[in-house]
């Protein structure tokens, strides 16, 4: 019965669209317009995710710098892209709405960060970084870790004018985070960057939860691979929660979030990152102790220094 109805509908649709060739041309135009609307929505949502990732990861990295010893790199707070770095489906939109081509186009800058303070703006094209031509956003991050302060010189193009901007980047914990549009609930380390998947940004509903994910991964990096699995998890939780609290995010959501992640995605964040993150009873108890320790320090307005062990 259903098949018959569907068939009848299909036939009447075909008859209607065959009536005039204009109708068909119109519907093609509508399809194109709809495709454009979808691409625009997709690109906008990607950009929002990128902004959120940069905002949270930059705060974690900057406020944690004192705990990251010599594992530092500059935090630029700049979201920029070349056409090649944008998923193919969004390239036309990125070009039409934001002028993204082969050169590095600034899409967004974190307010109150040095690049914004010296006047870098969305829409600027970055031609050179420290005297070297640049053709990728990765080159903004591909900087040597530094001991103290670092000056970054940008040559940019704005409305046909060439401008030189000099700003003092702030050091934060190595590594800068970068968005992958894959929907995995996962993060992993790739070269000098921490890749955070779109699915993880969706799963970590609040910025507090996202901060916990990013800080935990950073903590693993800082601690290295020497510890046993169980110790590595507890130590990464311990140091990670200090990184979260120092950046001003709420550590209290950690227990429930870790439980939710373990329950819904037991295989998330697995060995591809070089770490596994099992949520055991021992880890749960250690986490509760760490929360008490940090919350006590916050209440007494004591410095958020993790104990060295
Ligand atoms: Zn872990």
């Amino acid at each position: 019965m259903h098949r018959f109805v569907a068939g009848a509908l299909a036939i009447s649709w075909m008859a209607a669209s065959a009536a005039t060739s204009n109708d068909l041309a119109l519907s093609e135009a509508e399809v194109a317009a709809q495709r454009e609307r979808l691409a625009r929505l997709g690109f906008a949502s990607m950009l929002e995710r990128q902004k959120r990732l940069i905002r949270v990861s930059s705060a974690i990295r900057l406020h944690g710098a004192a705990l990251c010893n010599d594992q530092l790199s500059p935090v630029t707070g700049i979201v920029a892209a070349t056409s090649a770095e944008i998923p193919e489906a969004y390239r036309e939109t990125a070009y039409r709405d934001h002028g993204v081509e082969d050169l590095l186009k600034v899409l967004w800058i974190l307010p109150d960060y040095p690049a914004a303070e010296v006047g870098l703006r969305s829409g600027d094209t970055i031609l050179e970084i420290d005297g070297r031509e640049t053709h990728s956003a990765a080159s903004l991050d591909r900087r040597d870790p530094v001991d103290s302060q670092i000056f970054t010189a940008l040559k940019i193009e704005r409305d046909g004018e060439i401008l030189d901007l000099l700003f003092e980047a702030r050091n934060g914990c190595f590594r800068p985070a970068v968005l992958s549009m894959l929907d995995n609930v996962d993060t992993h380390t790739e070269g000098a960057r921490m890749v955070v998947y779109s699915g993880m940004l969706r799963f970590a509903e609040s910025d507090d939860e996202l901060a916990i994910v990013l800080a935990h991964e950073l903590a693993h990096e800082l601690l290295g691979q020497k510890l046993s699995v169980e110790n590595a998890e507890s130590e990464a939780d311990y140091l990670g929660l200090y990184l979260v609290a120092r950046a001003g995010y709420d550590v209290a959501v950690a227990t429930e979030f870790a439980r939710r992640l373990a329950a819904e995605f037991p295989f998330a964040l697995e060995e591809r990152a070089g770490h596994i993150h099992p949520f055991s009873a021992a880890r749960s108890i250690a986490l509760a102790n760490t929360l008490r320790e940090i919350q006590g320090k916050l209440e007494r307005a004591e410095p958020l220094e993790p104990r060295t062990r």
Side-chain angles (χ1 to χ4, degrees), residues 170-293:
R170 295 180 205 149
N171 276 314
C173 296
F174 190 60
R175 321 176 171 256
V178 60
L179 173 72
S180 159
M181 283 307 282
L182 294 177
D183 210 35
N184 308 4
V185 179
D186 202 359
T187 65
H188 82 277
T189 298
E190 193 176 287
R193 306 164 107 189
M194 184 203 296
V195 178
V196 181
Y197 290 95
S198 198
M200 181 55 94
L201 283 164
R202 198 197 309 278
F203 187 78
E205 287 163 5
S206 66
D207 286 355
D208 298 318
E209 291 181 341
L210 180 58
I212 283 162
V213 171
L214 300 176
H216 183 88
E217 280 303 313
L218 267 187
H220 271 301
E221 294 291 330
L222 294 171
L223 292 165
Q225 312 271 0
K226 290 163 289 190
L227 303 157
S228 69
V229 169
E230 183 66 46
N231 283 340
E233 283 321 299
S234 295
E235 293 296 314
D237 283 340
Y238 182 76
L239 182 55
L241 286 179
Y242 268 90
L243 292 170
V244 169
R246 289 172 72 105
Y249 291 105
D250 184 10
V251 290
V253 302
T255 315
E256 193 46 43
F257 180 67
R259 234 179 247 140
R260 191 159 67 87
L261 190 61
E264 292 190 38
F265 294 96
F267 305 110
L269 299 168
E270 257 206 25
E271 284 158 281
R272 213 151 41 74
H275 324 116
I276 52 173
H277 311 254
F279 195 65
S280 62
R283 188 180 166 196
S284 170
I285 291 161
L287 197 64
N289 289 336
T290 305
L291 287 177
R292 253 196 308 279
E293 183 179 307

